[in-house]
Amino acid sequence: MKVVGLTGGIASGKSTVSKTIQSLNIPLIDCDLLARLVVEPTHACYRKLVKYFGTVILQNQQDGQPLDRYKFGTIIFSDAAQRRVANGIIHPAIRNEILKRLFQYWARGTSLVVVDVPLLLEGELWRIVSDVIVVYCPPETQLERIKARDGLSEEDALARINAQRPLIEKVDYADHVIYNTSDLESLKTATLKVMDAIKPNPFWTVLAYFPPFTVLLAGWVIAKRHLKGDPRKTLNSKKKDDDSVVAEPVSSPSTTHATPAHAS
């Protein structure tokens, strides 16, 4: 079974790409849905979050109540230290849910699965997938889209964008980049081309069901990622060499940018 990682950034168009992939009847594990699952009151992750942050992050500030997503988001998006703690609790829980579903798909004989992970790189899951697909759009377009889509102030929109790794850095990890800089049909066409390019060979899919070969195949994927190295080290080295910033936080644009109609 071939496992492909899909990532992007907030308002980059990744949701549209996900829907296009699903229209091809390719199984897709949506980690946004898993992120909601693991913070449900019945999940162990919920208890860990409440233990650290307190009931202030819950609706009506009462234990056992659902997470107050707006309040929780305000806390973690405005404080990098708090965000690291939250990610340290949530990411492992999501990773475990992903692995459960991957095993289920493998047991069913599925040949290709796409894992839609906004934090594919931050959560280190890029190391265990065969291919990384990044959906890219310019940061100024991101800003205009999120303001229009979510009705946020420019300050809040910028806080959410800058809480994520800049999209231009994510491109360095990509095996395939889908550029969302035109219209909706162009985005769908680009997605179809990428999915056609990465479809697995049926011969290798069959071999993957022999346990020894499965282990070898998984080992090869991990080794390939290890040999390729972490692009962050290259970026950090470049910063030191030229004393320049590779990707600065997004700031308010001084001019108005044309925004494509799709903002998912």
Side-chain angles (χ1 to χ4, degrees):
M1 183 176 75
K2 187 172 187 178
V3 181
V4 174
L6 171 67
T7 193
I10 188 169
S12 67
K14 184 172 62 61
S15 295
T16 299
V17 171
S18 294
K19 291 175 183 176
T20 303
I21 291 172
Q22 289 175 303
S23 73
L24 300 173
N25 294 320
I26 296 173
L28 183 139
I29 299 174
D30 187 340
C31 291
D32 279 335
L33 296 180
L34 296 184
R36 293 186 181 94
L37 171 68
V38 300
V39 295
E40 289 294 321
T42 55
H43 202 284
C45 178
Y46 170 93
R47 301 306 318 166
K48 292 179 181 179
L49 289 172
V50 173
K51 182 177 181 180
Y52 180 83
F53 291 97
T55 57
V56 68
I57 64 172
L58 304 179
Q59 293 181 18
N60 301 319
Q61 299 188 21
Q62 293 181 5
D63 193 19
Q65 289 293 306
L67 191 71
D68 186 325
R69 297 182 185 279
Y70 178 79
K71 188 174 295 183
F72 184 54
T74 301
I75 292 171
I76 65 174
F77 283 123
S78 62
D79 188 323
Q82 296 284 58
R83 187 164 64 251
R84 283 193 294 271
V85 172
N87 288 342
I89 295 171
I90 295 172
H91 287 179
I94 294 175
R95 188 160 51 243
N96 289 339
E97 295 294 335
I98 291 172
L99 293 175
K100 287 179 187 177
R101 284 155 180 75
L102 287 177
F103 178 79
Q104 291 168 353
Y105 279 121
W106 178 83
R108 295 173 195 166
T110 306
S111 60
L112 173 64
V113 176
V114 175
V115 186
D116 179 348
V117 196
L119 300 178
L120 178 73
L121 310 179
E122 292 84 343
E124 298 295 319
L125 287 169
W126 65 277
R127 296 182 182 276
I128 61 171
V129 297
S130 298
D131 294 78
V132 172
I133 301 173
V134 173
V135 184
Y136 175 84
C137 73
E140 295 82 4
T141 303
Q142 272 187 293
L143 178 61
E144 294 305 317
R145 284 177 181 168
I146 190 173
K147 285 167 61 180
R149 185 190 69 185
D150 298 341
L152 296 176
S153 67
E154 190 151 301
E155 182 181 0
D156 286 342
L158 287 170
R160 280 158 172 72
I161 292 173
N162 290 327
Q164 299 181 346
R165 180 173 299 169
L167 273 174
I168 193 63
E169 287 188 11
K170 293 187 177 186
V171 169
D172 290 322
Y173 289 79
D175 298 290
H176 309 274
V177 180
I178 297 175
Y179 291 96
N180 183 15
T181 54
S182 185
D183 55 40
L184 185 59
E185 286 305 313
S186 297
L187 178 60
K188 290 181 178 179
T189 299
T191 302
L192 294 175
K193 287 182 179 179
V194 168
M195 297 314 297
D196 186 61
I198 66 174
K199 61 185 178 183
N201 185 310
F203 175 72
W204 293 105
T205 299
V206 172
L207 279 181
Y209 286 92
F210 293 92
F213 187 78
T214 302
V215 173
L216 287 174
L217 191 60
W220 163 244
V221 169
I222 295 171
K224 182 178 71 171
R225 290 291 174 199
H226 178 74
L227 291 172
K228 186 176 181 179
D230 190 336
R232 279 175 298 185
K233 294 180 180 178
T234 303
L235 288 168
N236 290 336
S237 176
K238 183 178 179 181
K239 287 179 184 179
K240 292 177 181 178
D241 290 342
D242 61 15
D243 195 31
S244 63
V245 178
V246 174
E248 296 180 355
V250 179
S251 57
S252 301
S254 56
T255 59
T256 301
H257 294 264
T259 305
H262 51 289
S264 56

